[in-house]
Amino acid sequence: MGLVFSSIFWALAHPCPLRNPKDWQGGKTEAAASYSQAVRDAPIRTPKPAQVYDDVCVRSWYTLEQPRRWMYPASGHSLNREYAKIGGLEGLRMLCGSCPACTTSEPAGCTGDFIGEQPDEFDEIVDSLGLRAELGRHFPATTPLWYGLWIEPVIPPAGISVVRQLLGALETRNQRRAEGYSSFLRVLEVAEQNQMTLHVQRTPGGTLGGPGPHCPRCTALQDIGEEIVCTVCGHVCSTKLSKWRFPRRQRRRDDLFTQLGERRFAEITRLSLISQGALDTELDFLVAAILERERTRPVWEAEQERADKAATERQKRQDRYKRVVLYKGIPRKGDQFRASAFRRLLERYVVLGVEVTDVSHCAEEFVNYRVAYRGEDPFEMLDKWLAEGLCEWFRASVSVPDALLYPQPGTGFAAEE
């Protein structure tokens, strides 16, 4: 699974008919923000399809092979329907355009997020500007200091000025890695000028399967183990560390074919195909093929569900095979190994005929993360990384042959304990 970087979510508190007073992010505000982000991103997404067509904001895509690969809208929402009570898309623009909490030219500029953490550089800037004591007056003490900014759900009004100064210096120092700070600096300025409450929330890193084990106070990633003290903020973490999960904002996946109706869906699909370079002579054929695919979706999705279920069962069997057979007698931490143990594991893979699809070096500092994919010799990569001084933890993804997972009865690995 791919790595997921931690994000900082923010929102300015301001009375708004789109928000639930008990939810500062607000469902409808978030939907408007996704439209706003899509509009801003549209110029840089070519040759991919755009994400906004008329009043429809597309969230996800399906693919069609006819004969090349085409993408067409899967889920999303119509802003005219979503915001009918305030006059649809135009009403939304008027509402947000006159709102003092809107920090962009598009709707819902009162909420957003950014990625771009640089804890070490942030500490250097704090010390170079002599602001460690000032920062400590407004934020909890952490090591690095970066994590302390996001522990409390609200940035203290008196602390906004020092955060602006530090993030401004950080952006100036490294433009390429601090691109996400520009919009947040505008938010800090608006919050300070208009005396608005600024809510913040930091998500822990992890994989596409979910956040990794982390401190519930500062959300810094932590090792799984017995009761420990967080090395970043000093919070005493319980033995349930590995089971913590950070609440993510809910993403609705509205099916556009059902939501818009066949006629309107066909119009939006045609626009998406044109944006991908479809010719006039093939548009009718492609749209008809897509409509037929959507009409018969319940049938082929049921078949896909059966296939997915079989794949899931196979994955469970493979995971158990790794625990019972492949990892037997080799010291490990989860699915990570020290160098000598990892070499033994790779040798075992060769003997059993298990294919290695990728190997990686895992480290607390992302800068020391390495990965090599199928086609590269895992032994060579291990030796190379060790020569570079990378000697923390190693892991490998594998594909176990069916002959090992499903042997003849009485000849090998059994499905049950």
Side-chain angles (χ1 to χ4, degrees), residues 6 59 92 99 127 146 160 210 251 307 369 414:
S6 58
R59 286 177 179 263
L92 175 67
C99 178
D127 290 332
W146 172 264
I160 290 179
R251 297 290 189 181
Y369 176 79

Side-chain angles (χ1 to χ4, degrees), residues 367-399:
V367 69
N368 289 332
Y369 176 79
R370 298 287 190 278
V371 62
Y373 297 101
R374 179 188 280 113
E376 298 183 84
D377 187 292
F379 293 96
E380 291 182 1
M381 298 310 302
L382 175 60
D383 291 337
K384 177 182 176 182
W385 292 335
L386 290 174
E388 294 174 3
L390 305 179
C391 55
E392 293 181 58
W393 294 93
F394 300 87
R395 66 178 299 275
S397 298
V398 299
S399 177

Side-chain angles (χ1 to χ4, degrees), residues 29-314:
T29 306
E30 183 188 350
S34 68
Y35 166 82
S36 176
Q37 186 64 47
V39 171
R40 294 196 295 271
D41 289 350
I44 63 174
R45 288 188 176 273
T46 55
K48 294 182 179 180
Q51 286 188 281
V52 178
Y53 302 96
D54 296 336
D55 72 308
V56 176
C57 179
V58 180
R59 286 177 179 263
S60 63
W61 301 85
Y62 291 130
T63 58
L64 178 75
E65 306 288 342
Q66 288 285 353
R68 56 162 281 192
R69 186 172 182 265
W70 300 96
M71 299 174 67
Y72 69 92
S75 67
H77 57 277
S78 164
L79 276 84
N80 281 339
R81 179 178 299 178
E82 182 104 28
Y83 305 104
K85 292 184 178 180
I86 61 171
L89 177 56
E90 289 307 312
L92 175 67
R93 286 173 172 161
M94 291 177 63
L95 175 68
C96 294
S98 60
C99 178
C102 190
T103 61
T104 66
S105 59
E106 292 295 332
C110 59
T111 183
D113 61 89
F114 68 90
I115 298 174
E117 296 191 321
Q118 303 172 71
D120 293 337
E121 292 189 49
F122 181 78
D123 278 19
E124 292 174 9
I125 288 175
V126 171
D127 290 332
S128 67
L129 296 179
L131 293 175
R132 183 176 286 266
E134 175 69 13
L135 197 68
R137 280 194 285 270
H138 307 293
F139 298 93
T142 58
T143 306
L145 296 168
W146 172 264
Y147 295 91
L149 301 181
W150 323 109
I151 287 179
E152 300 298 331
V154 171
I155 289 191
I160 290 179
S161 178
V162 66
V163 175
R164 281 184 60 194
Q165 185 177 352
L166 291 169
L167 292 189
L170 187 59
E171 182 190 40
T172 301
R173 177 171 176 171
N174 195 332
Q175 289 283 347
R176 183 180 67 83
R177 292 180 59 192
E179 293 173 355
Y181 298 158
S182 298
S183 59
F184 190 64
L185 286 169
R186 289 197 302 271
V187 174
L188 291 167
E189 182 179 359
V190 170
E192 189 173 32
Q193 291 178 349
N194 299 334
Q195 296 183 334
M196 291 180 175
T197 300
L198 176 56
H199 296 266
V200 292
Q201 187 179 49
R202 179 187 181 275
T203 66
T207 69
L208 296 179
H214 57 276
C215 172
R217 181 170 182 255
C218 68
T219 69
L221 296 180
Q222 298 289 328
D223 289 334
I224 300 173
E226 298 300 321
E227 186 173 284
I228 63 172
V229 176
C230 176
T231 57
V232 173
C233 70
H235 180 75
V236 178
C237 302
S238 75
T239 55
K240 296 182 179 179
L241 186 64
S242 63
K243 298 181 180 179
W244 292 332
R245 288 295 180 265
F246 196 88
R248 292 183 174 182
R249 297 194 296 179
Q250 295 299 312
R251 297 290 189 181
R252 297 174 307 160
R253 299 188 61 81
D254 298 325
D255 176 63
L256 284 175
F257 182 75
T258 302
Q259 183 187 169
L260 300 178
E262 189 169 308
R263 180 176 178 179
R264 180 61 171 151
F265 178 80
E267 294 173 356
I268 297 300
T269 296
R270 183 178 291 269
L271 292 175
S272 74
L273 292 170
I274 291 173
S275 72
Q276 297 171 74
L279 303 176
D280 292 341
T281 54
E282 56 185 347
L283 275 174
D284 289 341
F285 169 76
L286 291 173
V287 171
I290 290 170
L291 290 178
E292 180 61 23
R293 191 169 190 262
E294 291 304 296
R295 294 188 196 105
T296 60
R297 175 170 295 279
V299 176
W300 59 263
E301 275 195 339
E303 296 176 353
Q304 183 63 49
E305 185 177 352
R306 287 192 291 271
D308 291 344
K309 184 177 180 179
T312 299
E313 291 302 318
R314 186 189 189 283

Side-chain angles (χ1 to χ4, degrees), residues 9-11 19 23-30 111 201 249:
F9 288 90
W10 57 265
R19 287 185 177 179
D23 177 13
W24 56 266
Q25 290 175 326
K28 287 186 177 295
T29 306
E30 183 188 350
T111 183
Q201 187 179 49
R249 297 194 296 179

